[in-house]
Coordinates of all heavy atoms in Angstrom, one line a residue:
D335 N 22.9 17.5 9.0 CA 23.4 18.9 9.1 C 23.8 19.1 10.6 O 23.0 18.9 11.5 CB 22.3 19.9 8.7 CG 22.7 21.3 8.7 OD1 23.9 21.6 8.9 OD2 21.8 22.2 8.5
V336 N 25.1 19.4 10.8 CA 25.5 19.6 12.2 C 26.6 20.7 12.3 O 27.3 20.9 11.3 CB 26.1 18.2 12.8 CG1 27.3 17.8 12.0 CG2 26.3 18.3 14.3
T337 N 26.7 21.4 13.4 CA 27.8 22.4 13.5 C 28.4 22.1 14.9 O 27.7 22.0 15.9 CB 27.2 23.8 13.5 OG1 26.5 24.0 12.3 CG2 28.4 24.8 13.6
R338 N 29.7 22.1 14.9 CA 30.5 22.0 16.1 C 31.7 23.0 16.0 O 32.2 23.2 14.9 CB 31.0 20.6 16.4 CG 29.9 19.6 16.8 CD 29.4 20.0 18.2 NE 28.5 19.0 18.7 CZ 27.2 18.9 18.5 NH1 26.6 19.9 17.7 NH2 26.4 18.0 19.0
M339 N 32.2 23.4 17.2 CA 33.4 24.2 17.3 C 34.5 23.4 17.9 O 34.3 22.6 18.8 CB 33.1 25.4 18.2 CG 31.9 26.3 17.9 SD 32.0 27.3 16.4 CE 33.5 28.2 16.8
V340 N 35.7 23.8 17.5 CA 36.9 23.2 18.1 C 37.8 24.3 18.5 O 38.0 25.3 17.7 CB 37.6 22.3 17.1 CG1 39.0 21.8 17.6 CG2 36.8 21.0 16.8
A341 N 38.4 24.2 19.7 CA 39.5 25.2 20.0 C 40.8 24.6 19.7 O 41.2 23.6 20.3 CB 39.4 25.6 21.5
F342 N 41.5 25.3 18.8 CA 42.9 24.8 18.4 C 43.9 25.5 19.3 O 44.3 26.6 19.0 CB 43.2 25.0 16.9 CG 44.4 24.5 16.4 CD1 44.6 23.1 16.3 CD2 45.5 25.3 16.1 CE1 45.8 22.5 15.9 CE2 46.7 24.7 15.6 CZ 46.8 23.4 15.5
G343 N 44.2 24.9 20.5 CA 44.9 25.6 21.5 C 43.9 26.0 22.6 O 42.7 26.0 22.4
E344 N 44.4 26.5 23.7 CA 43.5 26.8 24.8 C 42.6 28.0 24.5 O 43.1 29.0 24.0 CB 44.3 27.2 26.1 CG 44.8 26.0 26.9 CD 43.7 25.1 27.4 OE1 42.6 25.6 27.8 OE2 43.8 23.9 27.2
P345 N 41.3 27.9 24.6 CA 40.4 29.0 24.3 C 40.5 30.1 25.3 O 40.8 29.8 26.5 CB 39.0 28.4 24.4 CG 39.1 27.2 25.2 CD 40.5 26.7 25.1
N346 N 40.4 31.3 24.9 CA 40.5 32.4 25.9 C 39.1 32.6 26.6 O 38.1 31.9 26.3 CB 40.9 33.7 25.3 CG 40.0 34.2 24.2 OD1 38.8 33.9 24.2 ND2 40.5 34.9 23.2
E347 N 39.1 33.4 27.6 CA 37.9 33.6 28.5 C 36.7 34.0 27.7 O 35.6 33.5 27.9 CB 38.2 34.7 29.5 CG 37.7 34.5 30.9 CD 38.2 35.5 31.8 OE1 39.4 35.5 32.2 OE2 37.4 36.4 32.2
R348 N 36.9 34.9 26.7 CA 35.9 35.4 25.9 C 35.2 34.3 25.1 O 34.0 34.2 25.0 CB 36.5 36.5 24.9 CG 35.6 37.0 23.9 CD 34.7 38.1 24.3 NE 34.2 38.9 23.2 CZ 33.2 39.7 23.3 NH1 32.5 39.8 24.4 NH2 32.8 40.3 22.2
A349 N 36.0 33.4 24.5 CA 35.5 32.3 23.7 C 34.7 31.4 24.6 O 33.6 30.9 24.2 CB 36.7 31.6 23.0
N350 N 35.2 31.1 25.8 CA 34.5 30.2 26.7 C 33.2 30.8 27.1 O 32.2 30.1 27.2 CB 35.4 30.0 28.0 CG 36.4 28.9 27.7 OD1 36.2 27.9 27.0 ND2 37.6 29.1 28.3
E351 N 33.2 32.1 27.4 CA 32.0 32.8 27.8 C 30.9 32.7 26.7 O 29.8 32.3 26.9 CB 32.3 34.3 28.1 CG 31.1 35.1 28.5 CD 31.1 36.6 28.2 OE1 32.3 37.1 27.9 OE2 30.1 37.3 28.2
L352 N 31.3 33.1 25.5 CA 30.3 33.1 24.4 C 29.8 31.7 24.0 O 28.7 31.5 23.7 CB 30.9 33.8 23.1 CG 31.2 35.3 23.3 CD1 31.7 35.9 22.0 CD2 30.0 36.1 23.7
Y353 N 30.8 30.8 24.1 CA 30.4 29.4 23.8 C 29.4 28.9 24.8 O 28.4 28.2 24.4 CB 31.7 28.5 23.8 CG 31.3 27.1 23.3 CD1 31.3 26.8 21.9 CD2 30.9 26.1 24.1 CE1 31.0 25.6 21.4 CE2 30.5 24.8 23.6 CZ 30.6 24.6 22.3 OH 30.2 23.4 21.8
A354 N 29.6 29.2 26.0 CA 28.6 28.7 27.1 C 27.2 29.3 26.8 O 26.2 28.6 27.0 CB 29.2 29.1 28.4
I355 N 27.2 30.6 26.4 CA 25.9 31.2 26.1 C 25.2 30.5 24.9 O 24.0 30.1 25.0 CB 26.0 32.7 25.8 CG1 26.6 33.4 27.0 CG2 24.7 33.3 25.3 CD1 27.2 34.8 26.6
V356 N 25.9 30.3 23.9 CA 25.3 29.6 22.7 C 24.9 28.2 23.0 O 23.8 27.7 22.7 CB 26.3 29.6 21.5 CG1 25.7 28.8 20.3 CG2 26.5 31.0 21.0
R357 N 25.7 27.5 23.8 CA 25.4 26.1 24.2 C 24.1 26.1 25.0 O 23.2 25.3 24.8 CB 26.5 25.5 25.0 CG 26.2 24.1 25.4 CD 27.4 23.5 26.1 NE 27.0 22.1 26.5 CZ 27.9 21.2 26.9 NH1 29.1 21.5 26.9 NH2 27.5 20.0 27.2
K358 N 24.0 27.0 26.0 CA 22.8 27.1 26.8 C 21.5 27.3 26.0 O 20.5 26.7 26.2 CB 23.0 28.2 27.9 CG 21.9 28.2 28.9 CD 22.2 29.2 30.0 CE 21.0 29.5 30.9 NZ 21.1 30.7 31.7
A359 N 21.7 28.3 25.0 CA 20.5 28.6 24.1 C 20.1 27.4 23.3 O 19.0 27.0 23.2 CB 20.9 29.7 23.2
Q360 N 21.1 26.7 22.8 CA 20.9 25.5 22.0 C 20.2 24.4 22.8 O 19.2 23.8 22.4 CB 22.2 25.0 21.3 CG 22.1 24.2 20.0 CD 21.7 22.8 20.3 OE1 21.9 22.2 21.4 NE2 21.2 22.1 19.2
E361 N 20.8 24.2 24.0 CA 20.2 23.1 24.8 C 18.8 23.4 25.4 O 18.0 22.5 25.4 CB 21.2 22.8 26.0 CG 22.4 22.1 25.5 CD 23.4 21.8 26.7 OE1 23.5 22.5 27.6 OE2 24.2 20.8 26.5
K362 N 18.6 24.6 25.7 CA 17.3 25.0 26.3 C 16.2 24.8 25.2 O 15.1 24.3 25.5 CB 17.3 26.4 26.8 CG 17.8 26.6 28.2 CD 17.3 27.9 28.8 CE 16.6 27.5 30.1 NZ 16.1 28.7 30.8
A363 N 16.5 25.2 24.0 CA 15.6 25.0 22.9 C 15.3 23.6 22.6 O 14.2 23.1 22.4 CB 16.0 25.8 21.6
Q364 N 16.4 22.8 22.6 CA 16.3 21.4 22.3 C 15.5 20.7 23.4 O 14.7 19.8 23.1 CB 17.7 20.7 22.1 CG 17.7 19.3 21.6 CD 19.0 18.8 21.2 OE1 19.9 19.5 20.8 NE2 19.2 17.5 21.3
E365 N 15.7 21.1 24.6 CA 15.0 20.4 25.7 C 13.5 20.8 25.7 O 12.7 20.0 26.2 CB 15.5 20.9 27.1 CG 16.8 20.2 27.5 CD 17.6 21.0 28.5 OE1 17.1 21.9 29.1 OE2 18.8 20.7 28.6
A366 N 13.1 21.9 25.0 CA 11.7 22.3 25.0 C 10.9 21.6 23.9 O 9.7 21.7 23.9 CB 11.7 23.8 24.8
V367 N 11.6 20.9 23.0 CA 10.9 20.3 21.9 C 10.0 19.2 22.3 O 10.4 18.3 23.1 CB 11.9 19.8 20.8 CG1 11.1 19.1 19.7 CG2 12.8 20.9 20.3
K368 N 8.7 19.3 22.0 CA 7.8 18.2 22.2 C 6.5 18.5 21.3 O 6.3 19.6 20.9 CB 7.4 18.0 23.7 CG 6.8 19.2 24.3 CD 6.4 18.9 25.7 CE 5.7 20.1 26.4 NZ 5.4 19.9 27.8
P369 N 5.7 17.4 21.1 CA 4.5 17.7 20.3 C 3.6 18.8 21.0 O 3.6 18.8 22.2 CB 3.8 16.3 20.3 CG 4.9 15.3 20.5 CD 5.9 16.0 21.4
G370 N 3.0 19.6 20.2 CA 2.1 20.6 20.8 C 2.7 22.0 21.0 O 2.0 23.0 21.1
I371 N 4.1 22.1 21.0 CA 4.7 23.4 21.1 C 4.7 24.1 19.8 O 4.9 23.5 18.7 CB 6.2 23.1 21.5 CG1 6.3 22.6 23.0 CG2 7.1 24.4 21.4 CD1 6.5 23.6 24.0
R372 N 4.6 25.4 19.8 CA 4.7 26.2 18.6 C 6.2 26.3 18.1 O 7.1 26.5 19.0 CB 4.3 27.6 19.0 CG 3.4 28.4 18.0 CD 3.1 29.7 18.6 NE 3.7 30.8 17.7 CZ 4.8 31.4 18.0 NH1 5.4 31.3 19.1 NH2 5.2 32.3 17.1
A373 N 6.4 26.1 16.9 CA 7.8 26.2 16.3 C 8.5 27.5 16.7 O 9.6 27.5 17.2 CB 7.8 26.0 14.8
G374 N 7.7 28.6 16.6 CA 8.3 29.9 17.0 C 8.7 30.0 18.4 O 9.7 30.8 18.7
T375 N 8.1 29.3 19.3 CA 8.5 29.4 20.7 C 9.9 28.9 20.9 O 10.6 29.4 21.8 CB 7.5 28.5 21.5 OG1 6.2 29.0 21.3 CG2 7.8 28.6 23.0
L376 N 10.4 27.9 20.1 CA 11.7 27.4 20.3 C 12.7 28.5 19.9 O 13.7 28.7 20.6 CB 12.0 26.2 19.3 CG 11.1 25.0 19.6 CD1 11.4 24.0 18.5 CD2 11.3 24.4 21.0
D377 N 12.4 29.3 18.9 CA 13.3 30.4 18.5 C 13.3 31.4 19.7 O 14.4 31.9 20.1 CB 12.8 31.1 17.2 CG 13.7 32.2 16.8 OD1 13.7 33.2 17.4 OD2 14.3 32.0 15.7
Q378 N 12.2 31.7 20.3 CA 12.1 32.7 21.4 C 12.9 32.2 22.6 O 13.6 33.0 23.2 CB 10.6 32.9 21.8 CG 9.9 33.7 20.8 CD 8.4 33.7 21.0 OE1 7.8 32.8 21.7 NE2 7.7 34.7 20.4
I379 N 12.8 30.9 22.9 CA 13.5 30.4 24.0 C 15.1 30.6 23.8 O 15.7 31.1 24.7 CB 13.2 28.9 24.2 CG1 11.8 28.7 24.7 CG2 14.2 28.2 25.2 CD1 11.3 27.3 24.7
A380 N 15.6 30.2 22.7 CA 17.0 30.3 22.4 C 17.4 31.8 22.4 O 18.4 32.2 23.0 CB 17.4 29.6 21.1
R381 N 16.6 32.6 21.7 CA 16.9 34.0 21.6 C 17.0 34.7 22.9 O 17.8 35.6 23.2 CB 15.9 34.7 20.6 CG 16.4 35.9 19.9 CD 15.5 36.3 18.8 NE 15.5 35.3 17.7 CZ 16.5 35.2 16.8 NH1 17.4 36.1 16.8 NH2 16.4 34.3 15.9
K382 N 16.1 34.3 23.8 CA 16.0 34.9 25.1 C 17.3 34.7 25.9 O 17.8 35.6 26.6 CB 14.8 34.4 26.0 CG 14.7 35.1 27.3 CD 13.3 35.0 27.9 CE 13.1 35.9 29.1 NZ 14.2 35.9 30.1
V383 N 17.8 33.5 25.8 CA 19.1 33.2 26.5 C 20.2 34.1 26.0 O 21.0 34.7 26.8 CB 19.5 31.7 26.3 CG1 20.9 31.4 26.8 CG2 18.5 30.7 26.9
I384 N 20.3 34.3 24.7 CA 21.3 35.1 24.1 C 21.1 36.6 24.4 O 22.0 37.3 24.7 CB 21.5 34.8 22.6 CG1 21.9 33.4 22.4 CG2 22.4 35.8 21.9 CD1 22.0 32.8 21.0
E385 N 19.8 37.0 24.4 CA 19.5 38.4 24.7 C 19.8 38.7 26.1 O 20.4 39.7 26.5 CB 18.0 38.7 24.4 CG 17.7 39.0 23.0 CD 16.2 39.0 22.7 OE1 15.4 38.8 23.6 OE2 15.9 39.1 21.5
D386 N 19.4 37.8 27.0 CA 19.7 38.0 28.5 C 21.2 38.2 28.8 O 21.6 38.8 29.7 CB 19.1 36.9 29.3 CG 17.5 37.0 29.4 OD1 17.0 38.0 28.9 OD2 16.9 36.0 29.9
A387 N 22.0 37.5 28.0 CA 23.4 37.6 28.2 C 24.0 38.8 27.5 O 25.2 39.1 27.7 CB 24.1 36.3 27.6
G388 N 23.1 39.6 26.8 CA 23.6 40.8 26.2 C 24.0 40.8 24.8 O 24.6 41.7 24.2
Y389 N 23.8 39.6 24.1 CA 24.3 39.5 22.7 C 23.2 39.3 21.7 O 23.4 38.8 20.6 CB 25.3 38.3 22.7 CG 26.5 38.5 23.5 CD1 26.7 38.1 24.8 CD2 27.5 39.3 22.9 CE1 27.8 38.3 25.5 CE2 28.7 39.6 23.6 CZ 28.8 39.1 24.9 OH 30.0 39.4 25.6
G390 N 22.0 39.7 22.1 CA 20.8 39.6 21.2 C 21.1 40.1 19.8 O 20.6 39.5 18.8
D391 N 21.8 41.2 19.7 CA 22.0 41.8 18.3 C 23.0 41.0 17.5 O 23.1 41.2 16.3 CB 22.6 43.2 18.5 CG 21.6 44.2 19.1 OD1 20.4 43.9 19.0 OD2 22.1 45.3 19.5
Y392 N 23.6 40.1 18.1 CA 24.6 39.3 17.4 C 24.1 37.9 17.0 O 24.9 37.1 16.5 CB 25.9 39.2 18.2 CG 26.5 40.5 18.5 CD1 26.2 41.1 19.8 CD2 27.3 41.2 17.6 CE1 26.7 42.4 20.1 CE2 27.8 42.4 17.9 CZ 27.5 43.0 19.1 OH 28.0 44.3 19.4
F393 N 22.9 37.6 17.3 CA 22.2 36.3 16.8 C 21.4 36.8 15.7 O 20.2 37.2 15.8 CB 21.4 35.7 18.0 CG 20.7 34.5 17.6 CD1 21.0 33.7 16.5 CD2 19.7 34.0 18.4 CE1 20.2 32.6 16.1 CE2 18.9 32.9 18.1 CZ 19.2 32.2 17.0
T394 N 22.0 36.7 14.5 CA 21.4 37.4 13.3 C 20.5 36.6 12.4 O 20.2 37.0 11.3 CB 22.5 38.0 12.5 OG1 23.5 37.0 12.3 CG2 23.2 39.2 13.2
H395 N 20.2 35.3 12.8 CA 19.4 34.5 11.9 C 18.4 33.7 12.7 O 18.4 33.7 13.9 CB 20.3 33.6 11.0 CG 21.2 32.7 11.8 ND1 20.8 31.6 12.5 CD2 22.5 32.8 12.0 CE1 21.8 31.1 13.1 NE2 22.9 31.7 12.8
R396 N 17.5 33.1 12.0 CA 16.5 32.2 12.6 C 17.1 31.1 13.4 O 18.3 30.7 13.1 CB 15.5 31.7 11.5 CG 16.3 30.8 10.6 CD 15.4 30.3 9.4 NE 16.2 29.5 8.5 CZ 15.8 29.0 7.4 NH1 14.6 29.2 7.0 NH2 16.6 28.3 6.6
L397 N 16.4 30.4 14.2 CA 16.9 29.3 15.0 C 17.2 28.1 14.2 O 18.2 27.4 14.4 CB 16.0 28.9 16.1 CG 16.5 27.8 17.0 CD1 17.7 28.2 17.8 CD2 15.4 27.3 18.0
G398 N 16.4 27.8 13.2 CA 16.6 26.6 12.4 C 15.7 26.5 11.2 O 15.0 27.4 10.8
H399 N 15.8 25.3 10.6 CA 15.1 25.0 9.4 C 14.8 23.5 9.3 O 15.4 22.7 10.0 CB 16.0 25.3 8.2 CG 17.4 24.7 8.3 ND1 17.6 23.3 7.9 CD2 18.5 25.1 8.8 CE1 18.8 23.0 8.2 NE2 19.5 24.1 8.7
G400 N 13.7 23.2 8.6 CA 13.4 21.8 8.4 C 14.5 21.0 7.6 O 15.3 21.7 7.0

Side-chain angles (χ1 to χ4, degrees):
D335 182 9
V336 65
T337 305
R338 286 293 186 274
M339 308 285 307
V340 171
F342 186 68
E344 277 305 315
N346 60 29
E347 217 173 287
R348 171 86 158 159
N350 279 324
E351 179 209 343
L352 296 183
Y353 189 86
I355 296 163
V356 171
R357 178 176 181 165
K358 188 174 165 198
Q360 205 277 342
E361 287 180 331
K362 278 201 124 182
Q364 189 168 331
E365 282 159 16
V367 177
K368 61 177 181 187
I371 292 261
R372 223 180 114 257
T375 302
L376 300 177
D377 183 290
Q378 286 167 342
I379 289 169
R381 205 164 295 280
K382 183 159 189 316
V383 173
I384 294 174
E385 276 168 4
D386 288 352
Y389 294 97
D391 290 344
Y392 301 97
F393 176 18
T394 46
H395 55 74
R396 63 185 177 181
L397 181 66
H399 53 80

